[in-house]
């Protein structure tokens, strides 16, 4: 029983917790909830794949304060996100927006594989065909029949 209590305590200490400090919390609960929702979708630029809501980094704290500042100024959620993206770039979004650049980024490897596969198939089809190089002659029907006869005799001997 004691072991179970220690394990639960250890698990509780390891689980991620929001890094929002009490002095950052807004007085208006609706604005605070909007700030939390927005913060969950913004990437900490120091921690990479962690939201600013979960990060203890100074830059994440600055971004959380900036989000709250913009909300208090009356910006909509979309305006806050646009403002942050204009300052820090698309990389700050944990879920990137669908745009030409993101489609190109995700579609380029597939396109390259398709083009490569097409080139390989064309090359493989071309290798199966007999090609006549300059300076060589094609066998006549009589010569082909003679060659077939010689090969058949050779196969019988072996």
């Amino acid at each position: 029983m004691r072991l179970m209590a220690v394990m639960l305590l250890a698990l509780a200490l390891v689980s991620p917790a929001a890094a929002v400090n009490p002095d950052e919390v807004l007085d208006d609960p609706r604005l605070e909830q909007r700030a939390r929702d927005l913060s969950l979708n913004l990437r900490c630029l120091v921690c990479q794949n962690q939201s600013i809501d979960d990060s203890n980094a100074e830059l994440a704290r600055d971004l959380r304060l900036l989000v709250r500042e913009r909300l208090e100024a009356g910006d909509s959620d979309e305006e806050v996100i646009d403002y942050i993206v204009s300052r820090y770039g698309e990389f700050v979004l944990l879920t990137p927006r669908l745009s030409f650049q993101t489609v190109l980024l995700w579609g380029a490897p597939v396109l390259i594989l398709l083009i490569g596969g097409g080139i390989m198939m064309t090359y493989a089809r071309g290798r199966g065909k007999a090609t006549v190089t300059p300076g060589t002659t094609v066998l006549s029907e009589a010569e082909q029949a003679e060659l077939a006869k010689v090969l058949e005799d050779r196969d019988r001997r072996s």
Side-chain angles (χ1 to χ4, degrees), residues 23-35 38 64-77 79-80:
D23 62 329
E24 298 175 28
V25 177
L26 297 172
D27 294 333
D28 184 354
R30 282 186 288 167
L31 276 183
E32 179 60 28
Q33 187 57 49
R34 283 178 57 202
L38 290 172
R64 286 192 303 265
L65 290 174
L66 185 59
V67 166
R68 285 166 171 76
E69 208 174 272
R70 302 302 302 177
L71 287 174
E72 285 181 322
D75 287 359
S76 69
D77 292 357
E79 289 171 330
V80 172

Side-chain angles (χ1 to χ4, degrees), residues 1-15:
M1 187 67 169
R2 183 177 265 171
L3 179 62
M4 180 72 96
V6 170
M7 287 175 56
L8 285 174
L9 179 63
L11 185 61
L13 293 175
V14 174
S15 66

